[in-house]
Amino acid sequence: MSSRSRHTGTVTAWNVDRGFGFAARAGEPDLFVHIKAFPRGTAAPVPGDVITFEVEAGPDGKLRAAHAAPSGVPFIAPLRPTSPAIGLLAIVAFAAIYVLVEVFWTQLPLWVLALYVGLSIIAFFAYGADKDAARSSKRRIAETTLILLGLLGGWPGAIIGQQVFRHKTAKRSFRAVFWVSVLINVFVFAVLSAPGVGFAIVDLFG
């Protein structure tokens, strides 16, 4: 259980190697505080720093500082990972649109389906490879490459890869760009699916 009101205290001790320390409030016992209580990217505090925080009970029942931030800096809660239901809904909706276009609008070239399936497979494994690289400190796959794979049609596989590997599901900037690329891809698909234009004209393999 946590107290949602914010408190102000002073860091009294900090172990840099172990990533935790203690903070004192006026007239109250020192509270344990871990580096994970601060937003990602926040520099480790040093004794004497003034911080704000909430108070919660830890697994051992003892009170500790949570949701901490340097004094004067508002605490911004981390964005929750993308719900798997949202990604699944997007894939199902697009599959339904694809079928409706085929049945009621125009017959799509076979290479269009092959493009989506092929790039989705590549995107899925790209997310897995990047997750593995992140864990082992190896060379990463550029975010622009991951976005481009989705933009070109691999976004269904990218969504599945994000959830399976739990990768790129909580980074706000990446998620925003990724979903914009999905919307662009679907919009272009809709335009090119118009009868007499688009895929009917550029069907180089039909």
Side-chain angles (χ1 to χ4, degrees):
M1 183 175 64
S2 66
S3 174
R4 292 302 178 185
S5 60
R6 294 194 67 79
H7 305 267
T8 300
T10 303
V11 177
T12 57
W14 190 263
N15 188 315
V16 176
D17 294 331
R18 302 182 69 179
F20 68 81
F22 295 88
R25 296 175 293 168
E28 298 287 345
D30 286 7
L31 293 172
F32 175 84
V33 56
H34 196 277
I35 190 62
K36 290 183 178 179
F38 294 88
R40 180 176 297 182
T42 302
V46 298
D49 282 356
V50 178
I51 62 174
T52 63
F53 51 85
E54 297 176 10
V55 178
E56 69 175 13
D60 57 1
K62 296 181 179 179
L63 295 180
R64 64 182 182 184
H67 302 161
S71 179
V73 177
F75 176 79
I76 301 177
L79 194 65
R80 291 184 177 182
T82 304
S83 169
I86 295 176
L88 178 60
L89 180 61
I91 295 173
V92 171
F94 181 72
I97 292 173
Y98 195 100
V99 172
L100 289 174
V101 168
E102 279 275 9
V103 174
F104 298 106
W105 204 343
T106 185
Q107 185 174 4
L108 297 172
L110 184 59
W111 63 264
V112 176
L113 178 60
L115 181 70
Y116 275 98
V117 173
L119 287 176
S120 288
I121 293 174
I122 294 173
F124 175 84
F125 286 106
Y127 277 82
D130 191 52
K131 177 71 173 186
D132 181 67
R135 287 174 172 172
S136 55
S137 299
K138 296 179 181 178
R139 186 173 181 177
R140 303 283 299 279
I141 296 175
E143 288 188 346
T144 51
T145 299
L146 297 176
I147 294 295
L148 183 60
L149 284 171
L151 179 63
L152 295 177
W155 61 265
I159 289 175
I160 297 173
Q162 289 170 11
Q163 298 301 329
V164 169
F165 302 112
R166 296 189 178 182
H167 191 48
K168 300 293 186 182
T169 59
K171 187 175 181 180
R172 187 188 300 268
S173 59
F174 181 87
R175 282 175 54 182
V177 176
F178 174 78
W179 283 106
V180 168
S181 73
V182 172
L183 292 175
I184 292 175
N185 177 267
V186 175
F187 174 77
V188 172
F189 172 83
V191 171
L192 294 180
S193 298
V197 299
F199 293 129
I201 296 175
V202 300
D203 186 4
L204 304 178
F205 306 100

